Amino acid sequence: MKDYFRLLKFLKPHSGILGLAFICTVFSTIFDGITLSMIVPVTDKIMTKKSIIFAEKLPPFIQNLISYINSIQPDNFLRILVFLIPALFILKGFFNFFQDYFMSNIGQRVVKDIRNDIYFKLQDLSLEYYTSRRTGEIVSRITNDVMQVENAVSYGVKDLIYQICQIILFTFLIFFMYFKLAIFLIIMMGLMAWPMFKIGRLLKKVSRQLQEKMADINSLLFETVSGARIVKAFCMEKYEVAKFKTQNKEFYKIMMKLIKRTLALGPLTEIIGVFFAIIIFYFAGRDVIQDKLSFGVFAFFLTSVFQLIKPFRKLANVHSINQRAIAAGTRIFEVLEADVKIKDTGSAVNLPIPNNEIRFENVWFKYEDENILKEINFNIGVGKVLAIVGPSGAGKSTLVDLIPRFYDPYKGRIIIDNIDIKDVKIESLRRQIGIVTQETILFNDSVKGNISYGHPEIDEIKIIEAAKKANAYDFIQNLPQGLDTVIGDRGVKLSGGERQRIAIARAILKDPPILILDEATSQLDSESERLVQEALSILMKGRTVFVIAHRLSTVVSADQIIVLERGIIIERGNHQQLIQKQGLYSRLYEMQSL
Ligand code: ATP
């Protein structure tokens, strides 16, 4: 129940519309009762041409109304009904429409809010959140899980209000008409509610399994779609199809389990209801035979009993929808309540442009249990180039990831001009850092949009200038729509060298004082390599550069080189000094595979 109320929290901002929906529901229910009660005069006055007789003593004003109706001639009354019945149905339809409209509107608003909240939160979460989860899983929460909540809000809450109003109405009518039999009704309601709650609990468990399976399928889809090239290269299509089929079959099995339980609820409540309706039918029927009750009142009474069963059946369905929404809601709240590990402190200040040095002081870092970086100490003057070399897996990328605070060290400090980067506003820190990685991340946008990413308002002239400096303008001009050409998901429509030069143009445009460069290891042809190299030299000029170096020319000209092995700096100095040491660096240099 706590989970359900937590979910209802999303309704709070829309309480105005919810109030309107509630008013429409109440009126729609009242008109339901009035239209149904027309059975009494239609049967007693028109069909059997007798008088209306109630078994119970009624309040005086209803008694007076019945006496008045009884005094009207049947053909006069028929003429009244011809106008009254359509008018009642029009009013009922009017309130029904607005009740549905307002509730659907709230459903869509809630979904919009949840999606925005999750997306906002995702932007806020640290990189660690993304690296420890599958992309498909994250996407599934924002799509599939949110849809389940929409169902619960649009249909679940609507039906919950509407059906409860119906139960109140018909219980009231039945008590009012036949107080003696009301006790049966109370037992009946209790018996119908019991299986609902029993099965409901199981539903929640199965629903959670279902949402998790959907997330698995989404993850698999995401991996195989984005890795289509590798799947084809390794002729793994059949393997991937088999894997997908297995996941899909499991989803089907869980879904059928859920369907079986949901479907069982409806007939079960109906059977209990009908059983009691028959008892009531017997006693009320006896009263009709003994002329204690008119036929019209009997028909109205019996219809009310059956009308009371219907909302119970519907409520069972609502319960199932709600259980699914609660399961989905739990997964949504896991994202919304996830801890933002890297955030500004209350006293964070803006980082001034560095003018002295950047220093690592006894920095230790681990992703999980194992230390990836140990006792890292170095400093680099502003405007200098620091090359980081070492074997694969030594921790080079991890080290540079600490500078923009993608991760925080668990021990030690990173200082820029005597300010610990943990004490500055993250945005002001990241604005001063440009990153060009091996894996150039481009978006499915125009070339212009990709170069000016982060500067949407910038002048096109500046974009062209940056593209020229990055040796990218010539090939951009040859693209079908020049700067406006859309380059496909992750820039798939461009070559590796072209993608790199766009990323370099992006960094040139950002013009950051600090630059992090992860040189590409992938082999480019010599012309492309020359163009990229030239662009990088222009980009590096006048900046403090951290470069994970793979090119000899970059390492040789670096002001300082640190050699990492298993997370420890084992050598440091410039090229000459390190060659003379005859250690790991000189061995790597000799192999020319830094
Ligand atoms: P390469 O030259 O191959 O890119 P590297 O020197 O840059 O390697 P890192 O990417 O920093 O090495 O990785 C250092 C170690 O940390 C590796 O053992 C790697 O398996 C581990 N590692 C990297 N990222 C994560 C992560 N998100 N979670 C857990 N371990 C990680």
Side-chain angles (χ1 to χ4, degrees):
M1 213 54 187
K2 196 182 96 222
D3 289 336
Y4 190 56
F5 283 120
R6 198 161 65 152
L7 214 53
L8 290 182
K9 202 183 73 184
F10 284 110
L11 289 175
K12 215 169 155 198
H14 313 294
S15 49
I17 305 184
L18 191 65
L20 283 175
F22 181 72
I23 293 170
C24 290
T25 308
V26 170
F27 275 101
S28 152
T29 309
I30 291 172
F31 282 104
D32 268 343
I34 299 177
T35 43
L36 194 73
S37 70
M38 286 296 116
I39 291 179
V40 180
V42 168
T43 313
D44 288 345
K45 292 288 301 175
I46 314 286
M47 295 185 173
T48 60
K49 284 186 256 163
K50 287 185 178 171
S51 296
I52 300 167
I53 309 167
F54 270 85
E56 300 289 339
K57 190 156 168 45
L58 301 172
F61 83 98
I62 295 190
Q63 205 77 60
N64 291 342
L65 183 68
I66 291 170
S67 307
Y68 173 69
I69 294 173
N70 280 341
S71 70
I72 303 176
Q73 285 300 313
D75 44 356
N76 283 345
F77 195 69
L78 185 63
R79 276 193 282 277
I80 296 174
L81 285 180
V82 165
F83 291 101
L84 189 63
I85 291 176
L88 285 173
F89 274 94
I90 288 170
L91 282 169
K92 191 176 115 165
F94 174 83
F95 287 112
N96 255 337
F97 170 81
F98 280 103
Q99 166 209 344
D100 279 351
Y101 175 78
F102 289 137
M103 281 320 296
S104 305
N105 191 316
I106 294 174
Q108 294 307 323
R109 280 166 186 254
V110 166
V111 167
K112 179 171 65 86
D113 291 350
I114 300 180
R115 277 208 193 109
N116 281 343
D117 283 2
I118 300 186
Y119 196 71
F120 179 78
K121 180 73 185 200
L122 284 176
Q123 300 303 320
D124 234 16
L125 283 167
S126 328
L127 208 59
E128 176 259 0
Y129 184 86
Y130 291 91
T131 51
S132 56
R133 279 164 190 83
R134 296 167 305 166
T135 312
E137 162 85 43
I138 298 174
V139 173
S140 191
R141 291 187 192 218
I142 208 165
T143 51
N144 191 42
D145 289 334
V146 173
M147 229 156 68
Q148 298 302 331
V149 175
E150 181 205 347
N151 240 353
V153 175
S154 296
Y155 308 106
V157 175
K158 182 195 90 179
D159 260 348
L160 192 70
I161 301 175
Y162 183 64
Q163 303 308 338
I164 287 177
C165 282
Q166 295 271 311
I167 290 175
I168 294 172
L169 168 79
F170 291 111
T171 311
F172 170 78
L173 286 178
I174 291 163
F175 266 63
F176 180 69
M177 282 186 282
Y178 224 131
F179 189 76
K180 279 179 281 184
L181 294 179
I183 189 77
F184 281 109
L185 221 64
I186 290 170
I187 302 172
M188 176 183 95
M189 287 199 251
L191 279 178
M192 288 210 259
W194 184 75
M196 250 168 62
F197 285 101
K198 212 63 198 150
I199 294 182
R201 259 199 217 154
L202 289 171
L203 281 180
K204 195 161 98 186
K205 206 175 105 201
V206 179
S207 298
R208 169 114 202 167
Q209 288 171 0
L210 197 72
Q211 305 299 102
E212 279 164 8
K213 197 40 71 191
M214 195 67 222
D216 285 346
I217 290 182
N218 275 348
S219 291
L220 196 70
L221 267 177
F222 189 83
E223 274 170 25
T224 42
V225 170
S226 56
R229 188 187 292 260
I230 301 293
V231 174
K232 288 190 186 307
F234 283 83
C235 304
M236 290 295 273
E237 290 93 336
K238 283 199 181 108
Y239 169 81
E240 292 298 343
V241 167
K243 208 157 95 181
F244 187 80
K245 269 187 171 172
T246 313
Q247 298 276 13
N248 216 5
K249 191 172 169 190
E250 279 172 30
F251 181 84
Y252 159 81
K253 276 193 195 156
I254 304 173
M255 191 58 165
M256 284 317 294
K257 224 195 269 184
L258 189 83
I259 289 175
K260 211 160 59 188
R261 282 167 196 190
T262 310
L263 290 184
L265 268 180
L268 207 67
T269 45
E270 197 168 60
I271 289 167
I272 299 171
V274 169
F275 178 72
F276 279 88
I278 291 297
I279 298 176
I280 291 169
F281 170 74
Y282 174 75
F283 286 107
R286 250 183 18 175
D287 279 357
V288 175
I289 292 167
Q290 291 165 10
D291 267 343
K292 287 183 192 159
L293 203 66
S294 65
F295 183 65
V297 177
F298 170 76
F300 180 35
F301 177 68
L302 206 65
T303 318
S304 300
V305 173
F306 280 106
Q307 286 292 358
L308 186 62
I309 297 169
K310 218 164 68 184
F312 266 95
R313 207 190 144 122
K314 279 260 167 90
L315 273 186
N317 194 30
V318 169
H319 194 53
S320 141
I321 291 177
N322 284 347
Q323 292 307 318
R324 290 183 70 170
I326 289 171
T330 315
R331 288 162 51 81
I332 289 171
F333 281 110
E334 271 167 21
V335 180
L336 291 181
E337 289 166 5
D339 194 16
V340 180
K341 293 207 173 125
I342 294 176
K343 55 184 170 202
D344 287 346
T345 58
S347 56
V349 291
N350 280 323
L351 176 70
I353 295 174
N355 63 16
N356 185 14
E357 63 163 15
I358 299 171
R359 195 164 72 240
F360 273 52
E361 270 183 15
N362 191 26
V363 167
W364 293 67
F365 177 82
K366 56 183 165 194
Y367 287 109
E368 280 144 22
D369 298 331
E370 199 191 339
N371 278 314
I372 299 293
L373 294 174
K374 296 166 221 166
E375 220 187 330
I376 303 291
N377 284 293
F378 66 82
N379 63 329
I380 170 179
V382 162
K384 303 281 185 205
V385 176
L386 174 87
I388 305 153
V389 297
S392 179
K396 305 181 294 289
S397 305
T398 307
L399 189 147
V400 294
D401 275 352
L402 300 184
I403 303 166
R405 290 192 69 199
F406 289 156
Y407 302 96
D408 274 343
Y410 73 90
K411 201 162 114 187
R413 305 190 304 163
I414 299 164
I415 311 275
I416 299 181
D417 286 354
N418 289 327
I419 309 174
D420 188 331
I421 58 170
K422 277 192 182 166
D423 297 330
V424 302
K425 290 191 180 144
I426 295 171
E427 195 179 326
S428 76
L429 170 70
R430 291 184 185 160
R431 283 208 182 284
Q432 306 213 22
I433 301 174
I435 302 174
V436 180
T437 51
Q438 278 188 40
E439 198 190 316
T440 18
I441 307 293
L442 300 181
F443 296 104
N444 186 16
D445 191 355
S446 62
V447 172
K448 191 159 67 182
N450 269 288
I451 297 179
S452 64
Y453 189 68
H455 305 87
E457 308 296 331
I458 205 143
D459 207 334
E460 189 163 314
I461 295 173
K462 292 209 164 132
I463 299 175
I464 294 173
E465 228 171 76
K468 281 183 180 162
K469 281 186 188 165
N471 274 343
Y473 196 56
D474 284 349
F475 88 80
I476 292 172
Q477 274 181 315
N478 288 331
L479 293 172
Q481 278 98 35
L483 272 172
D484 294 315
T485 312
V486 175
I487 56 174
D489 261 3
R490 287 162 292 126
V492 282
K493 294 183 189 167
L494 299 178
S495 76
E498 288 166 346
R499 279 203 293 272
Q500 279 186 21
R501 280 178 276 153
I502 296 246
I504 293 169
R506 181 194 278 170
I508 290 175
L509 195 69
K510 185 174 182 186
D511 195 19
I514 303 168
L515 182 68
I516 294 172
L517 210 60
D518 193 348
E519 283 185 338
T521 44
S522 52
Q523 287 298 314
L524 299 174
D525 66 64
S526 52
E527 175 59 8
S528 187
E529 165 92 30
R530 185 186 63 80
L531 292 171
V532 169
Q533 197 61 47
E534 264 179 30
L536 282 175
S537 311
I538 292 172
L539 173 64
M540 288 164 75
K541 217 169 274 166
R543 307 180 206 276
T544 312
V545 184
F546 294 82
V547 52
I548 299 178
H550 298 284
R551 291 185 177 91
L552 291 182
S553 57
T554 315
V555 195
V556 171
S557 60
D559 297 292
Q560 195 187 154
I561 303 162
I562 58 175
V563 184
L564 270 186
E565 191 179 33
R566 289 202 205 101
I568 300 172
I569 300 180
I570 54 160
E571 289 169 21
R572 66 179 79 213
N574 61 27
H575 174 68
Q576 281 308 327
Q577 292 162 336
L578 291 178
I579 289 289
Q580 276 163 15
K581 259 191 183 162
Q582 293 287 305
L584 178 64
Y585 178 83
S586 77
R587 282 203 305 281
L588 288 172
Y589 183 73
E590 271 161 31
M591 288 190 293
Q592 302 217 334
S593 59
L594 291 159

